Amino acid sequence: MTRIPSYVKDVMEQLGRAGFAAYLVGGCVRDSLLGLEPHDWDLCTDALPEQTERALDGRRIIETGIRHGTVTVLTPGGPVEVTTFRTDGAYLDNRRPEHVTFVPRLEDDLARRDFTVNAMAMGPDGAVVDLYGGQADLRAGVIRCVGEADRRFSEDALRVLRALRFASRLRFSIEPATAESLLKNRALLDNIAAERIFSELLGILTGPGVERVLLTFAPVIFQIIPELACEAGFDQRNPYHIHDVWTHSALAAAATPPDAVLRLTMLLHDVGKPETFFTDQTGVGHFYGHAQAGAAKAEAILRRLRCDNATRERVCLLIARHADPPPRTPKAARRLLAKLGPDTARQLEACWRADCADRAQDVKTRNAALFDQAHGLLEDALAQPEACLGLKSLAVSGRDILALGVPEGPAVGRTLQALLDEVLDGTLPNERGPLLDRARALLGGDCNPPGGGI
Ligand code: ATP
Ligand code: MG
C-alpha cells in the first residue's frame, strides 16, 4: 500500500480536531491499495464547505466547486480537494445531475460512485471502508458497477467510457453484467459533450490494456467515432494484411509507445481505406490514396471531438504520411527531416513500425530491417553538427535574396527553397558565399544587383 503523504494527513487531522469526519476517497484509495502513486489525493468529509473553510482557517483555500461541495486546500506538499459527503440529484439527459444534496453519512456518498474499486474510503489510520467489495474486485482485476448497471449507465452515460478507461489503465476486465450493460447503453453517449468523450478516449488509448479494450468493446468506440465502424470485418484481400482493417488498427494502436498522438494516429490511420478500396484483375485489394483520404477524415473526426489544434494537426500529418516509404538514403533522410522536423520524423518512424506489428512474420522481418536502416539515417543526419534541416538554418535569408535585387514576392521563397534542396542533396555547402553565388546563377536575368541599373 502506498503511504498517505503527511501534507494530506495534516488536513485530515485538522478536520478531525474540529470535530469532522475526513476520509480519503475514490481514485487515491484505489491506487494506493494497488501500490500505485495516486496522482491526486481527494478527501471527503461531513463538514459543509463553509465549515471546512472555517476548520482549515489560515490555510490557502480555493472555492473550486463550492456548489458541488468542493474546496481545494493549497498545502506546501500539493493541492488537496475536500468535498462534502453528497448524493446526486435527478439525472437529466444521461448527464451529471444539475444539483447535489449534502448528506451527513459516508455510506450515502460512496453509493453514488461509479465502480466498486472507486467507491472505497480510507481513514487517517489507514482503515478501509469498503461496502461494495472493492478490495475483492481490485484483487480479481475487475471493473464492476456499484448497484444496478443499467441504472448507473443511464444516469450518466460517461460512465460507459470511464469503465473502459479504468479497464485499459489498470489492465482490468469488466465484469460480465457491467460489460453487457455498457454495450447495451452505448447510444446514450450521444448525449455527452464531445470534450468529455475525447478526454476519456485519450485515457483509454494511453492505457496498457488498450488492445483488449478496443477489440472487446469496439461497438463503444464506433458509437463515438462512427467513421470506424465499416473497418470491422473489412477484408483487405491483400496477402500483406492478415487482419480486417479494424483489428489491424487496434493492434497497431496498441503497438506504439503510450503516447496520445501516436495512439490516436494509429487508431485512425486507415480510416480512409474503405472508401479507396478496389481489387485488381487478380482479385488483390489496393487502397491508393488512403493516407490522404484518411487524414481528411481524421481532421473532421478530431474537430468534432474538440481535440486541441496541436494534437489534431500532428495526427493528421502523420496519417497523411504513414504510407510514405521510409528513407533509404542520407539525402532522403535529410529531406524528410527538413520537411517534418526531428520530433515528427521520429513519430512517423514509430507509426511505420506500429503499422507492421501485425503483419506476417516474413513481412515483419523485412520491414524491421528497413526501419532500422531509416532510423540510423535519420539519427545520423540529426547528429551532424552542420545539419541544415530547414529554411531557418540556411546560411542565407530572405533579406539576402532581396539584396540581390529580387523583387518582394514568391520568387524570394522559391529561391530559398531551391537553395535548401541543393544543400539537402549534398551538392551545395551551407555557406554564405557559395549560396549567394548559386542564387545569382539560379536567378539569372531576374537578378538586379542594387545600384546596378534598372
Ligand atoms: P483518476 O486517477 O483518473 O483521477 P479517479 O478515480 O480519481 O481516477 P476522477 O474522475 O478523478 O477519477 O473521480 C474521482 C472519484 O469520483 C472516482 O473515483 C469516483 O468515485 C467518483 N466519480 C467520478 N466521476 C464519476 C461519475 N461520472 N459517476 C460516479 N462516480 C464518479
Ligand atoms: Mg482523480
mmCIF file of all heavy atoms in Angstrom, residues 235-284:
data_model
loop_
_atom_site.group_PDB
_atom_site.id
_atom_site.type_symbol
_atom_site.label_atom_id
_atom_site.label_comp_id
_atom_site.label_asym_id
_atom_site.label_seq_id
_atom_site.Cartn_x
_atom_site.Cartn_y
_atom_site.Cartn_z
ATOM 1 N N ASP A 235 -12.437 -6.987 -45.186
ATOM 2 C CA ASP A 235 -11.399 -7.891 -45.681
ATOM 3 C C ASP A 235 -10.524 -7.136 -46.688
ATOM 4 O O ASP A 235 -11.009 -6.656 -47.713
ATOM 5 C CB ASP A 235 -12.082 -9.096 -46.346
ATOM 6 C CG ASP A 235 -11.079 -10.077 -46.943
ATOM 7 O OD1 ASP A 235 -9.865 -9.806 -46.886
ATOM 8 O OD2 ASP A 235 -11.537 -11.106 -47.465
ATOM 9 N N GLN A 236 -9.226 -7.054 -46.409
ATOM 10 C CA GLN A 236 -8.341 -6.243 -47.251
ATOM 11 C C GLN A 236 -7.927 -6.951 -48.540
ATOM 12 O O GLN A 236 -7.316 -6.355 -49.411
ATOM 13 C CB GLN A 236 -7.108 -5.822 -46.456
ATOM 14 C CG GLN A 236 -7.473 -5.227 -45.102
ATOM 15 C CD GLN A 236 -6.375 -4.386 -44.509
ATOM 16 O OE1 GLN A 236 -5.776 -3.563 -45.180
ATOM 17 N NE2 GLN A 236 -6.102 -4.569 -43.235
ATOM 18 N N ARG A 237 -8.227 -8.240 -48.642
ATOM 19 C CA ARG A 237 -7.906 -9.043 -49.848
ATOM 20 C C ARG A 237 -6.481 -8.782 -50.336
ATOM 21 O O ARG A 237 -6.248 -8.518 -51.507
ATOM 22 C CB ARG A 237 -8.876 -8.705 -50.988
ATOM 23 C CG ARG A 237 -10.294 -8.804 -50.563
ATOM 24 C CD ARG A 237 -11.092 -9.739 -51.431
ATOM 25 N NE ARG A 237 -12.490 -9.552 -51.103
ATOM 26 C CZ ARG A 237 -13.420 -9.214 -51.953
ATOM 27 N NH1 ARG A 237 -13.105 -9.098 -53.235
ATOM 28 N NH2 ARG A 237 -14.650 -9.032 -51.565
ATOM 29 N N ASN A 238 -5.590 -8.778 -49.387
ATOM 30 C CA ASN A 238 -4.209 -8.478 -49.736
ATOM 31 C C ASN A 238 -3.314 -9.355 -48.867
ATOM 32 O O ASN A 238 -3.482 -9.395 -47.643
ATOM 33 C CB ASN A 238 -3.953 -6.982 -49.468
ATOM 34 C CG ASN A 238 -2.603 -6.539 -49.947
ATOM 35 O OD1 ASN A 238 -1.593 -7.106 -49.565
ATOM 36 N ND2 ASN A 238 -2.579 -5.518 -50.788
ATOM 37 N N PRO A 239 -2.365 -10.068 -49.496
ATOM 38 C CA PRO A 239 -1.571 -11.031 -48.729
ATOM 39 C C PRO A 239 -0.735 -10.381 -47.630
ATOM 40 O O PRO A 239 -0.302 -11.055 -46.694
ATOM 41 C CB PRO A 239 -0.672 -11.687 -49.787
ATOM 42 C CG PRO A 239 -0.695 -10.769 -50.953
ATOM 43 C CD PRO A 239 -2.013 -10.063 -50.924
ATOM 44 N N TYR A 240 -0.488 -9.048 -47.733
ATOM 45 C CA TYR A 240 0.310 -8.392 -46.694
ATOM 46 C C TYR A 240 -0.479 -8.174 -45.402
ATOM 47 O O TYR A 240 0.082 -7.892 -44.363
ATOM 48 C CB TYR A 240 0.817 -7.031 -47.183
ATOM 49 C CG TYR A 240 1.895 -7.170 -48.214
ATOM 50 C CD1 TYR A 240 1.694 -6.734 -49.514
ATOM 51 C CD2 TYR A 240 3.115 -7.772 -47.887
ATOM 52 C CE1 TYR A 240 2.681 -6.879 -50.468
ATOM 53 C CE2 TYR A 240 4.099 -7.926 -48.836
ATOM 54 C CZ TYR A 240 3.881 -7.474 -50.132
ATOM 55 O OH TYR A 240 4.849 -7.622 -51.062
ATOM 56 N N HIS A 241 -1.806 -8.237 -45.506
ATOM 57 C CA HIS A 241 -2.631 -7.918 -44.334
ATOM 58 C C HIS A 241 -3.328 -9.174 -43.849
ATOM 59 O O HIS A 241 -4.056 -9.798 -44.601
ATOM 60 C CB HIS A 241 -3.662 -6.858 -44.700
ATOM 61 C CG HIS A 241 -3.051 -5.594 -45.197
ATOM 62 N ND1 HIS A 241 -2.380 -4.724 -44.374
ATOM 63 C CD2 HIS A 241 -2.969 -5.073 -46.445
ATOM 64 C CE1 HIS A 241 -1.930 -3.717 -45.086
ATOM 65 N NE2 HIS A 241 -2.265 -3.901 -46.352
ATOM 66 N N ILE A 242 -3.079 -9.508 -42.588
ATOM 67 C CA ILE A 242 -3.676 -10.756 -42.105
ATOM 68 C C ILE A 242 -4.943 -10.506 -41.294
ATOM 69 O O ILE A 242 -5.619 -11.434 -40.913
ATOM 70 C CB ILE A 242 -2.654 -11.614 -41.308
ATOM 71 C CG1 ILE A 242 -1.988 -10.793 -40.206
ATOM 72 C CG2 ILE A 242 -1.601 -12.206 -42.226
ATOM 73 C CD1 ILE A 242 -0.892 -11.557 -39.465
ATOM 74 N N HIS A 243 -5.271 -9.249 -41.046
ATOM 75 C CA HIS A 243 -6.471 -8.947 -40.258
ATOM 76 C C HIS A 243 -7.393 -8.005 -41.024
ATOM 77 O O HIS A 243 -6.961 -7.334 -41.959
ATOM 78 C CB HIS A 243 -6.083 -8.261 -38.941
ATOM 79 C CG HIS A 243 -5.327 -9.143 -37.999
ATOM 80 N ND1 HIS A 243 -4.038 -8.882 -37.591
ATOM 81 C CD2 HIS A 243 -5.674 -10.301 -37.404
ATOM 82 C CE1 HIS A 243 -3.629 -9.829 -36.768
ATOM 83 N NE2 HIS A 243 -4.596 -10.709 -36.646
ATOM 84 N N ASP A 244 -8.623 -7.920 -40.558
ATOM 85 C CA ASP A 244 -9.511 -6.893 -41.106
ATOM 86 C C ASP A 244 -8.984 -5.523 -40.654
ATOM 87 O O ASP A 244 -8.150 -5.434 -39.732
ATOM 88 C CB ASP A 244 -10.953 -7.132 -40.655
ATOM 89 C CG ASP A 244 -11.115 -6.916 -39.162
ATOM 90 O OD1 ASP A 244 -10.713 -7.794 -38.395
ATOM 91 O OD2 ASP A 244 -11.611 -5.852 -38.768
ATOM 92 N N VAL A 245 -9.487 -4.454 -41.275
ATOM 93 C CA VAL A 245 -8.898 -3.119 -41.030
ATOM 94 C C VAL A 245 -9.017 -2.711 -39.558
ATOM 95 O O VAL A 245 -8.085 -2.148 -38.981
ATOM 96 C CB VAL A 245 -9.551 -2.059 -41.954
ATOM 97 C CG1 VAL A 245 -8.969 -0.681 -41.680
ATOM 98 C CG2 VAL A 245 -9.348 -2.430 -43.416
ATOM 99 N N TRP A 246 -10.159 -3.012 -38.945
ATOM 100 C CA TRP A 246 -10.337 -2.584 -37.552
ATOM 101 C C TRP A 246 -9.375 -3.314 -36.621
ATOM 102 O O TRP A 246 -8.713 -2.695 -35.771
ATOM 103 C CB TRP A 246 -11.786 -2.779 -37.095
ATOM 104 C CG TRP A 246 -11.909 -2.659 -35.615
ATOM 105 C CD1 TRP A 246 -12.195 -3.638 -34.726
ATOM 106 C CD2 TRP A 246 -11.698 -1.464 -34.818
ATOM 107 N NE1 TRP A 246 -12.182 -3.164 -33.436
ATOM 108 C CE2 TRP A 246 -11.873 -1.825 -33.469
ATOM 109 C CE3 TRP A 246 -11.359 -0.138 -35.123
ATOM 110 C CZ2 TRP A 246 -11.732 -0.911 -32.427
ATOM 111 C CZ3 TRP A 246 -11.214 0.767 -34.080
ATOM 112 C CH2 TRP A 246 -11.406 0.389 -32.756
ATOM 113 N N THR A 247 -9.290 -4.638 -36.754
ATOM 114 C CA THR A 247 -8.395 -5.397 -35.877
ATOM 115 C C THR A 247 -6.967 -4.898 -36.069
ATOM 116 O O THR A 247 -6.226 -4.685 -35.099
ATOM 117 C CB THR A 247 -8.478 -6.904 -36.209
ATOM 118 O OG1 THR A 247 -9.848 -7.287 -36.134
ATOM 119 C CG2 THR A 247 -7.670 -7.743 -35.245
ATOM 120 N N HIS A 248 -6.597 -4.698 -37.334
ATOM 121 C CA HIS A 248 -5.257 -4.170 -37.607
ATOM 122 C C HIS A 248 -5.054 -2.821 -36.908
ATOM 123 O O HIS A 248 -4.012 -2.586 -36.289
ATOM 124 C CB HIS A 248 -5.065 -4.028 -39.125
ATOM 125 C CG HIS A 248 -3.937 -3.110 -39.483
ATOM 126 N ND1 HIS A 248 -2.622 -3.412 -39.199
ATOM 127 C CD2 HIS A 248 -3.925 -1.879 -40.057
ATOM 128 C CE1 HIS A 248 -1.847 -2.408 -39.602
ATOM 129 N NE2 HIS A 248 -2.618 -1.471 -40.120
ATOM 130 N N SER A 249 -6.045 -1.931 -36.982
ATOM 131 C CA SER A 249 -5.893 -0.593 -36.383
ATOM 132 C C SER A 249 -5.762 -0.687 -34.870
ATOM 133 O O SER A 249 -4.950 0.024 -34.262
ATOM 134 C CB SER A 249 -7.093 0.293 -36.729
ATOM 135 O OG SER A 249 -7.158 0.463 -38.124
ATOM 136 N N ALA A 250 -6.558 -1.565 -34.255
ATOM 137 C CA ALA A 250 -6.490 -1.719 -32.798
ATOM 138 C C ALA A 250 -5.119 -2.258 -32.393
ATOM 139 O O ALA A 250 -4.498 -1.772 -31.438
ATOM 140 C CB ALA A 250 -7.596 -2.658 -32.319
ATOM 141 N N LEU A 251 -4.622 -3.243 -33.132
ATOM 142 C CA LEU A 251 -3.314 -3.816 -32.795
ATOM 143 C C LEU A 251 -2.204 -2.796 -33.036
ATOM 144 O O LEU A 251 -1.240 -2.706 -32.271
ATOM 145 C CB LEU A 251 -3.071 -5.090 -33.619
ATOM 146 C CG LEU A 251 -4.038 -6.246 -33.331
ATOM 147 C CD1 LEU A 251 -3.784 -7.414 -34.290
ATOM 148 C CD2 LEU A 251 -3.907 -6.721 -31.882
ATOM 149 N N ALA A 252 -2.353 -2.017 -34.104
ATOM 150 C CA ALA A 252 -1.341 -1.003 -34.413
ATOM 151 C C ALA A 252 -1.321 0.076 -33.333
ATOM 152 O O ALA A 252 -0.249 0.527 -32.915
ATOM 153 C CB ALA A 252 -1.613 -0.388 -35.788
ATOM 154 N N ALA A 253 -2.499 0.479 -32.862
ATOM 155 C CA ALA A 253 -2.551 1.497 -31.795
ATOM 156 C C ALA A 253 -1.846 0.958 -30.550
ATOM 157 O O ALA A 253 -1.047 1.653 -29.917
ATOM 158 C CB ALA A 253 -3.997 1.872 -31.479
ATOM 159 N N ALA A 254 -2.121 -0.297 -30.209
ATOM 160 C CA ALA A 254 -1.528 -0.881 -29.010
ATOM 161 C C ALA A 254 -0.017 -1.078 -29.166
ATOM 162 O O ALA A 254 0.700 -1.190 -28.172
ATOM 163 C CB ALA A 254 -2.200 -2.209 -28.688
ATOM 164 N N ALA A 255 0.458 -1.101 -30.411
ATOM 165 C CA ALA A 255 1.882 -1.381 -30.644
ATOM 166 C C ALA A 255 2.772 -0.142 -30.531
ATOM 167 O O ALA A 255 3.990 -0.254 -30.567
ATOM 168 C CB ALA A 255 2.066 -2.016 -32.023
ATOM 169 N N THR A 256 2.181 1.053 -30.395
ATOM 170 C CA THR A 256 3.024 2.248 -30.247
ATOM 171 C C THR A 256 3.331 2.465 -28.762
ATOM 172 O O THR A 256 2.636 1.935 -27.900
ATOM 173 C CB THR A 256 2.328 3.532 -30.756
ATOM 174 O OG1 THR A 256 1.286 3.864 -29.833
ATOM 175 C CG2 THR A 256 1.765 3.367 -32.146
ATOM 176 N N PRO A 257 4.340 3.291 -28.468
ATOM 177 C CA PRO A 257 4.505 3.716 -27.072
ATOM 178 C C PRO A 257 3.217 4.431 -26.612
ATOM 179 O O PRO A 257 2.464 4.935 -27.455
ATOM 180 C CB PRO A 257 5.678 4.700 -27.132
ATOM 181 C CG PRO A 257 6.399 4.365 -28.402
ATOM 182 C CD PRO A 257 5.366 3.861 -29.356
ATOM 183 N N PRO A 258 2.955 4.469 -25.283
ATOM 184 C CA PRO A 258 1.671 5.001 -24.797
ATOM 185 C C PRO A 258 1.580 6.522 -24.861
ATOM 186 O O PRO A 258 1.516 7.206 -23.858
ATOM 187 C CB PRO A 258 1.622 4.519 -23.349
ATOM 188 C CG PRO A 258 3.044 4.355 -22.962
ATOM 189 C CD PRO A 258 3.804 3.974 -24.202
ATOM 190 N N ASP A 259 1.547 7.039 -26.060
ATOM 191 C CA ASP A 259 1.540 8.481 -26.284
ATOM 192 C C ASP A 259 0.252 8.828 -27.025
ATOM 193 O O ASP A 259 -0.131 8.120 -27.962
ATOM 194 C CB ASP A 259 2.776 8.825 -27.129
ATOM 195 C CG ASP A 259 2.713 10.211 -27.707
ATOM 196 O OD1 ASP A 259 3.025 11.143 -26.965
ATOM 197 O OD2 ASP A 259 2.336 10.361 -28.884
ATOM 198 N N ALA A 260 -0.414 9.904 -26.589
ATOM 199 C CA ALA A 260 -1.743 10.221 -27.138
ATOM 200 C C ALA A 260 -1.694 10.429 -28.651
ATOM 201 O O ALA A 260 -2.542 9.912 -29.384
ATOM 202 C CB ALA A 260 -2.299 11.464 -26.450
ATOM 203 N N VAL A 261 -0.695 11.179 -29.134
ATOM 204 C CA VAL A 261 -0.626 11.458 -30.574
ATOM 205 C C VAL A 261 -0.442 10.155 -31.361
ATOM 206 O O VAL A 261 -1.138 9.892 -32.347
ATOM 207 C CB VAL A 261 0.525 12.447 -30.884
ATOM 208 C CG1 VAL A 261 0.874 12.440 -32.362
ATOM 209 C CG2 VAL A 261 0.138 13.848 -30.435
ATOM 210 N N LEU A 262 0.496 9.338 -30.921
ATOM 211 C CA LEU A 262 0.786 8.100 -31.671
ATOM 212 C C LEU A 262 -0.409 7.157 -31.659
ATOM 213 O O LEU A 262 -0.759 6.551 -32.670
ATOM 214 C CB LEU A 262 2.012 7.402 -31.085
ATOM 215 C CG LEU A 262 3.334 8.141 -31.261
ATOM 216 C CD1 LEU A 262 4.462 7.392 -30.553
ATOM 217 C CD2 LEU A 262 3.667 8.313 -32.739
ATOM 218 N N ARG A 263 -1.042 7.042 -30.510
ATOM 219 C CA ARG A 263 -2.152 6.086 -30.417
ATOM 220 C C ARG A 263 -3.379 6.580 -31.178
ATOM 221 O O ARG A 263 -4.050 5.791 -31.839
ATOM 222 C CB ARG A 263 -2.458 5.762 -28.962
ATOM 223 C CG ARG A 263 -1.275 5.006 -28.353
ATOM 224 C CD ARG A 263 -1.674 3.996 -27.333
ATOM 225 N NE ARG A 263 -0.582 3.049 -27.150
ATOM 226 C CZ ARG A 263 -0.370 2.358 -26.044
ATOM 227 N NH1 ARG A 263 -1.189 2.497 -25.016
ATOM 228 N NH2 ARG A 263 0.630 1.513 -25.977
ATOM 229 N N LEU A 264 -3.642 7.885 -31.120
ATOM 230 C CA LEU A 264 -4.751 8.418 -31.931
ATOM 231 C C LEU A 264 -4.454 8.211 -33.408
ATOM 232 O O LEU A 264 -5.325 7.837 -34.192
ATOM 233 C CB LEU A 264 -4.883 9.921 -31.693
ATOM 234 C CG LEU A 264 -5.841 10.430 -30.639
ATOM 235 C CD1 LEU A 264 -5.731 11.934 -30.561
ATOM 236 C CD2 LEU A 264 -7.281 10.008 -30.943
ATOM 237 N N THR A 265 -3.204 8.473 -33.782
ATOM 238 C CA THR A 265 -2.819 8.314 -35.185
ATOM 239 C C THR A 265 -3.084 6.892 -35.650
ATOM 240 O O THR A 265 -3.730 6.675 -36.687
ATOM 241 C CB THR A 265 -1.313 8.636 -35.383
ATOM 242 O OG1 THR A 265 -1.087 9.982 -34.976
ATOM 243 C CG2 THR A 265 -0.893 8.449 -36.825
ATOM 244 N N MET A 266 -2.637 5.918 -34.883
ATOM 245 C CA MET A 266 -2.795 4.537 -35.345
ATOM 246 C C MET A 266 -4.253 4.078 -35.267
ATOM 247 O O MET A 266 -4.705 3.289 -36.083
ATOM 248 C CB MET A 266 -1.870 3.593 -34.579
ATOM 249 C CG MET A 266 -0.389 3.852 -34.817
ATOM 250 S SD MET A 266 0.068 4.324 -36.502
ATOM 251 C CE MET A 266 -0.120 2.777 -37.385
ATOM 252 N N LEU A 267 -4.992 4.608 -34.301
ATOM 253 C CA LEU A 267 -6.422 4.261 -34.241
ATOM 254 C C LEU A 267 -7.123 4.691 -35.533
ATOM 255 O O LEU A 267 -7.962 3.967 -36.071
ATOM 256 C CB LEU A 267 -7.082 4.972 -33.044
ATOM 257 C CG LEU A 267 -8.585 4.690 -32.884
ATOM 258 C CD1 LEU A 267 -8.803 3.298 -32.288
ATOM 259 C CD2 LEU A 267 -9.258 5.746 -32.005
ATOM 260 N N LEU A 268 -6.733 5.880 -36.023
ATOM 261 C CA LEU A 268 -7.460 6.461 -37.163
ATOM 262 C C LEU A 268 -6.725 6.281 -38.491
ATOM 263 O O LEU A 268 -7.242 6.686 -39.530
ATOM 264 C CB LEU A 268 -7.661 7.966 -36.912
ATOM 265 C CG LEU A 268 -8.453 8.358 -35.656
ATOM 266 C CD1 LEU A 268 -8.483 9.875 -35.501
ATOM 267 C CD2 LEU A 268 -9.880 7.820 -35.724
ATOM 268 N N HIS A 269 -5.541 5.674 -38.495
ATOM 269 C CA HIS A 269 -4.675 5.810 -39.673
ATOM 270 C C HIS A 269 -5.260 5.212 -40.949
ATOM 271 O O HIS A 269 -4.952 5.689 -42.038
ATOM 272 C CB HIS A 269 -3.274 5.232 -39.388
ATOM 273 C CG HIS A 269 -3.186 3.738 -39.445
ATOM 274 N ND1 HIS A 269 -3.777 2.926 -38.505
ATOM 275 C CD2 HIS A 269 -2.580 2.895 -40.313
ATOM 276 C CE1 HIS A 269 -3.534 1.657 -38.798
ATOM 277 N NE2 HIS A 269 -2.817 1.611 -39.890
ATOM 278 N N ASP A 270 -6.099 4.205 -40.823
ATOM 279 C CA ASP A 270 -6.641 3.570 -42.028
ATOM 280 C C ASP A 270 -8.106 3.912 -42.266
ATOM 281 O O ASP A 270 -8.782 3.210 -43.027
ATOM 282 C CB ASP A 270 -6.467 2.049 -41.932
ATOM 283 C CG ASP A 270 -5.075 1.606 -42.398
ATOM 284 O OD1 ASP A 270 -4.351 2.434 -42.996
ATOM 285 O OD2 ASP A 270 -4.704 0.439 -42.156
ATOM 286 N N VAL A 271 -8.558 5.009 -41.659
ATOM 287 C CA VAL A 271 -9.986 5.356 -41.793
ATOM 288 C C VAL A 271 -10.337 5.707 -43.252
ATOM 289 O O VAL A 271 -11.492 5.682 -43.649
ATOM 290 C CB VAL A 271 -10.357 6.489 -40.779
ATOM 291 C CG1 VAL A 271 -9.714 7.809 -41.153
ATOM 292 C CG2 VAL A 271 -11.856 6.613 -40.632
ATOM 293 N N GLY A 272 -9.290 5.971 -44.053
ATOM 294 C CA GLY A 272 -9.538 6.245 -45.478
ATOM 295 C C GLY A 272 -9.552 4.981 -46.335
ATOM 296 O O GLY A 272 -9.736 5.056 -47.552
ATOM 297 N N LYS A 273 -9.334 3.819 -45.730
ATOM 298 C CA LYS A 273 -9.212 2.604 -46.549
ATOM 299 C C LYS A 273 -10.528 2.168 -47.204
ATOM 300 O O LYS A 273 -10.548 1.930 -48.415
ATOM 301 C CB LYS A 273 -8.627 1.461 -45.725
ATOM 302 C CG LYS A 273 -7.109 1.412 -45.839
ATOM 303 C CD LYS A 273 -6.539 0.111 -45.344
ATOM 304 C CE LYS A 273 -5.057 0.013 -45.756
ATOM 305 N NZ LYS A 273 -4.407 -1.149 -45.170
ATOM 306 N N PRO A 274 -11.598 2.017 -46.433
ATOM 307 C CA PRO A 274 -12.821 1.520 -47.083
ATOM 308 C C PRO A 274 -13.200 2.328 -48.320
ATOM 309 O O PRO A 274 -13.550 1.758 -49.354
ATOM 310 C CB PRO A 274 -13.869 1.628 -45.973
ATOM 311 C CG PRO A 274 -13.072 1.427 -44.719
ATOM 312 C CD PRO A 274 -11.761 2.144 -44.977
ATOM 313 N N GLU A 275 -13.073 3.643 -48.287
ATOM 314 C CA GLU A 275 -13.521 4.447 -49.434
ATOM 315 C C GLU A 275 -12.563 4.406 -50.627
ATOM 316 O O GLU A 275 -12.943 4.749 -51.738
ATOM 317 C CB GLU A 275 -13.748 5.908 -49.009
ATOM 318 C CG GLU A 275 -12.471 6.667 -48.723
ATOM 319 C CD GLU A 275 -12.733 8.005 -48.038
ATOM 320 O OE1 GLU A 275 -13.110 7.998 -46.849
ATOM 321 O OE2 GLU A 275 -12.543 9.044 -48.678
ATOM 322 N N THR A 276 -11.310 3.989 -50.405
ATOM 323 C CA THR A 276 -10.364 3.970 -51.532
ATOM 324 C C THR A 276 -10.093 2.535 -52.020
ATOM 325 O O THR A 276 -9.250 2.325 -52.885
ATOM 326 C CB THR A 276 -9.009 4.603 -51.110
ATOM 327 O OG1 THR A 276 -8.541 3.963 -49.924
ATOM 328 C CG2 THR A 276 -9.137 6.090 -50.845
ATOM 329 N N PHE A 277 -10.828 1.590 -51.485
ATOM 330 C CA PHE A 277 -10.569 0.175 -51.796
ATOM 331 C C PHE A 277 -10.977 -0.193 -53.216
ATOM 332 O O PHE A 277 -12.025 0.205 -53.704
ATOM 333 C CB PHE A 277 -11.366 -0.688 -50.809
ATOM 334 C CG PHE A 277 -11.252 -2.171 -51.048
ATOM 335 C CD1 PHE A 277 -10.079 -2.842 -50.754
ATOM 336 C CD2 PHE A 277 -12.320 -2.897 -51.562
ATOM 337 C CE1 PHE A 277 -9.962 -4.211 -50.958
ATOM 338 C CE2 PHE A 277 -12.224 -4.266 -51.772
ATOM 339 C CZ PHE A 277 -11.036 -4.927 -51.472
ATOM 340 N N PHE A 278 -10.094 -0.906 -53.912
ATOM 341 C CA PHE A 278 -10.526 -1.567 -55.156
ATOM 342 C C PHE A 278 -9.705 -2.837 -55.335
ATOM 343 O O PHE A 278 -8.629 -2.988 -54.748
ATOM 344 C CB PHE A 278 -10.369 -0.639 -56.369
ATOM 345 C CG PHE A 278 -8.951 -0.478 -56.830
ATOM 346 C CD1 PHE A 278 -8.459 -1.266 -57.870
ATOM 347 C CD2 PHE A 278 -8.112 0.447 -56.241
ATOM 348 C CE1 PHE A 278 -7.142 -1.124 -58.295
ATOM 349 C CE2 PHE A 278 -6.803 0.595 -56.658
ATOM 350 C CZ PHE A 278 -6.310 -0.194 -57.683
ATOM 351 N N THR A 279 -10.238 -3.782 -56.117
ATOM 352 C CA THR A 279 -9.474 -5.012 -56.381
ATOM 353 C C THR A 279 -9.006 -5.001 -57.831
ATOM 354 O O THR A 279 -9.750 -4.568 -58.727
ATOM 355 C CB THR A 279 -10.343 -6.276 -56.151
ATOM 356 O OG1 THR A 279 -11.614 -6.080 -56.756
ATOM 357 C CG2 THR A 279 -10.527 -6.569 -54.681
ATOM 358 N N ASP A 280 -7.769 -5.441 -58.045
ATOM 359 C CA ASP A 280 -7.259 -5.506 -59.426
ATOM 360 C C ASP A 280 -7.761 -6.777 -60.116
ATOM 361 O O ASP A 280 -8.519 -7.558 -59.522
ATOM 362 C CB ASP A 280 -5.728 -5.379 -59.425
ATOM 363 C CG ASP A 280 -5.050 -6.524 -58.669
ATOM 364 O OD1 ASP A 280 -5.661 -7.599 -58.530
ATOM 365 O OD2 ASP A 280 -3.898 -6.327 -58.212
ATOM 366 N N GLN A 281 -7.288 -6.991 -61.388
ATOM 367 C CA GLN A 281 -7.827 -8.138 -62.152
ATOM 368 C C GLN A 281 -7.578 -9.470 -61.444
ATOM 369 O O GLN A 281 -8.335 -10.418 -61.629
ATOM 370 C CB GLN A 281 -7.178 -8.243 -63.553
ATOM 371 C CG GLN A 281 -7.352 -7.045 -64.430
ATOM 372 C CD GLN A 281 -6.117 -6.152 -64.395
ATOM 373 O OE1 GLN A 281 -5.540 -5.912 -63.328
ATOM 374 N NE2 GLN A 281 -5.689 -5.657 -65.545
ATOM 375 N N THR A 282 -6.500 -9.503 -60.612
ATOM 376 C CA THR A 282 -6.202 -10.777 -59.952
ATOM 377 C C THR A 282 -6.956 -10.926 -58.634
ATOM 378 O O THR A 282 -6.757 -11.899 -57.904
ATOM 379 C CB THR A 282 -4.681 -10.890 -59.665
ATOM 380 O OG1 THR A 282 -4.335 -9.839 -58.762
ATOM 381 C CG2 THR A 282 -3.849 -10.771 -60.926
ATOM 382 N N GLY A 283 -7.772 -9.930 -58.309
ATOM 383 C CA GLY A 283 -8.566 -10.026 -57.082
ATOM 384 C C GLY A 283 -7.852 -9.506 -55.841
ATOM 385 O O GLY A 283 -8.378 -9.611 -54.730
ATOM 386 N N VAL A 284 -6.654 -8.936 -56.036
ATOM 387 C CA VAL A 284 -5.920 -8.410 -54.874
ATOM 388 C C VAL A 284 -6.421 -6.993 -54.563
ATOM 389 O O VAL A 284 -6.640 -6.193 -55.476
ATOM 390 C CB VAL A 284 -4.402 -8.410 -55.153
ATOM 391 C CG1 VAL A 284 -3.645 -7.680 -54.040
ATOM 392 C CG2 VAL A 284 -3.889 -9.843 -55.277
#
